Amino acid sequence: MAIFPPEQRIWWKEPLHGFELVWIGVCLVWAIVMFGTMIVWHIIGEQNLSNRAYRIDPDVFAERTEAMVTEYTVREEGDTGIPVVHPPAGSDIYLQASLWQWYPILELEKDKEYHLHLSSIDWQHGFSLQPTNINVQVHPGYELVMTLKPNRAGEFGVVCNEFCGIGHHQMLGRIYVVE
Ligand code: CUA
């Protein structure tokens, strides 16, 4: 079987069929609606984070985390020995991901604002705050900074939701929010 050229050499200059024009119109309108939805949902959806990202050396991030831990540790978590840190309201707080733990445990005050810095010092991890709908990827070499104001007291879980090896399922952290 041979392949023949089209009978009409200039086959793409046919007049547009009415249906095709309608479909192009429908797609265009839908694309504009979807584009608008992104902007509107960012404002009213209450689930998109306005976070900033900066390059950071993993060693520098670890140092800053350790400085906060040294200064503001209030106790150790019984079952794990991980320090529980109660930093002052309005301050920069650090949560460090590594194979396979979240460090340290943060204790925050309800209705106070904090600047949370998130980064990894080895591989890629995922920050999932339970039971809220907050999910971000955590990369080594970059820190995400987000302003957060807890509006509910209680115990929150931090789950790694990016597969990071054999201990991935054990990579659980905690954040306490106190009145
Ligand atoms: Cu860290 Cu999965």
Side-chain angles (χ1 to χ4, degrees):
M1 189 176 145
I3 297 173
F4 299 101
E7 277 173 30
Q8 268 178 284
R9 290 293 294 170
I10 313 293
W11 52 270
W12 61 85
K13 280 205 169 165
E14 293 292 305
L16 205 55
H17 192 281
F19 281 165
E20 198 170 1
L21 192 62
V22 168
W23 277 115
I24 290 171
V26 167
C27 293
L28 181 66
V29 169
W30 187 240
I32 291 168
V33 168
M34 298 281 275
F35 181 77
T37 305
M38 285 195 300
I39 297 160
V40 171
W41 197 247
H42 184 83
I43 297 160
I44 65 163
E46 290 189 337
Q47 57 176 304
N48 293 298
L49 303 168
S50 294
N51 44 304
R52 293 157 282 148
Y54 304 97
R55 270 184 184 278
I56 189 161
D57 186 80
D59 292 338
V60 173
F61 190 86
E63 268 168 38
R64 290 181 189 170
T65 307
E66 206 47 55
M68 176 194 71
V69 170
T70 307
E71 199 165 354
Y72 301 117
T73 295
V74 287
R75 61 177 187 277
E76 277 188 358
E77 190 78 351
D79 51 340
T80 57
I82 296 176
V84 179
V85 176
H86 190 125
S91 65
D92 287 279
I93 58 177
Y94 297 84
L95 186 60
Q96 171 187 300
S98 63
L99 300 170
W100 288 278
Q101 74 171 7
W102 295 100
Y103 179 86
I105 292 171
L106 296 167
E107 188 178 79
L108 310 177
E109 288 166 36
K110 185 174 171 263
D111 295 325
K112 299 284 168 59
E113 205 171 87
Y114 300 87
H115 306 289
L116 175 65
H117 297 240
L118 260 181
S119 190
S120 163
I121 55 166
D122 42 45
W123 294 0
Q124 182 180 348
H125 301 278
F127 172 87
S128 173
L129 187 67
Q130 303 292 333
T132 66
N133 184 19
I134 292 177
N135 283 286
V136 289
Q137 293 187 329
V138 184
H139 298 266
Y142 291 90
E143 65 168 354
L144 280 181
V145 185
M146 54 191 97
T147 304
L148 91 124
K149 193 194 240 182
N151 58 4
R152 185 151 52 90
E155 186 183 323
F156 295 82
V158 179
V159 175
C160 181
N161 61 3
E162 204 68 58
F163 184 70
C164 55
I166 194 129
H168 164 69
H169 62 288
Q170 294 172 327
M171 194 170 160
L172 305 168
R174 229 166 272 170
I175 294 177
Y176 292 112
V177 177
V178 294
E179 294 281 349

